[in-house]
């Protein structure tokens, strides 16, 4: 995402070598911006901000447990627990969404 490359020059962490081209820089998964002299032109993007959400849609639940799993056991696996409705997994994986 383009917004991951919006960093103040002083926040830039070097991600290349002197004289790296824009193409080589981007190929390495880095950002390239040569507009500020004295700061890295090829730099690491900001990490994506993500968070885990428990999907409300029962159709998208992906089973993370086994029949009879307790809420504590389920949550200790990093999963979501909702003991309703019947017929769908009660312990299920959260979805990771980008902010």
């Amino acid at each position: 995402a383009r917004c991951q490359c919006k960093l103040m020059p002083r926040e830039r962490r070097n991600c290349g070598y002197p004289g790296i081209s824009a193409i080589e820089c981007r190929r390495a998964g880095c950002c390239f911006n040569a507009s500020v002299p004295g700061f890295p032109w090829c730099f690491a993007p900001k990490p994506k901000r993500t968070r885990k959400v428990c999907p409300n849609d029962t159709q998208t639940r992906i089973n993370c447990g086994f029949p009879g799993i307790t809420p504590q056991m389920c949550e200790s696996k990093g999963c979501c627990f909702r003991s309703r409705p019947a017929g769908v997994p009660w312990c299920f994986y959260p979805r990771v969404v980008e902010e």
Side-chain angles (χ1 to χ4, degrees), residues 22 24 36 51 65 86:
E24 287 175 281
V36 189
R51 62 192 169 88

Side-chain angles (χ1 to χ4, degrees), residues 14-59:
N14 199 0
C15 191
Y17 51 86
I20 190 170
S21 72
I23 292 150
E24 287 175 281
C25 176
R26 291 198 181 101
R27 222 180 256 147
C30 302
C31 305
F32 189 87
N33 180 335
S35 66
V36 189
F39 288 97
W41 287 2
C42 181
F43 52 94
K46 279 187 217 172
K48 282 186 178 144
R49 280 220 189 102
T50 58
R51 62 192 169 88
K52 290 183 176 177
V53 292
C54 295
N56 289 321
D57 180 6
T58 56
Q59 303 303 307

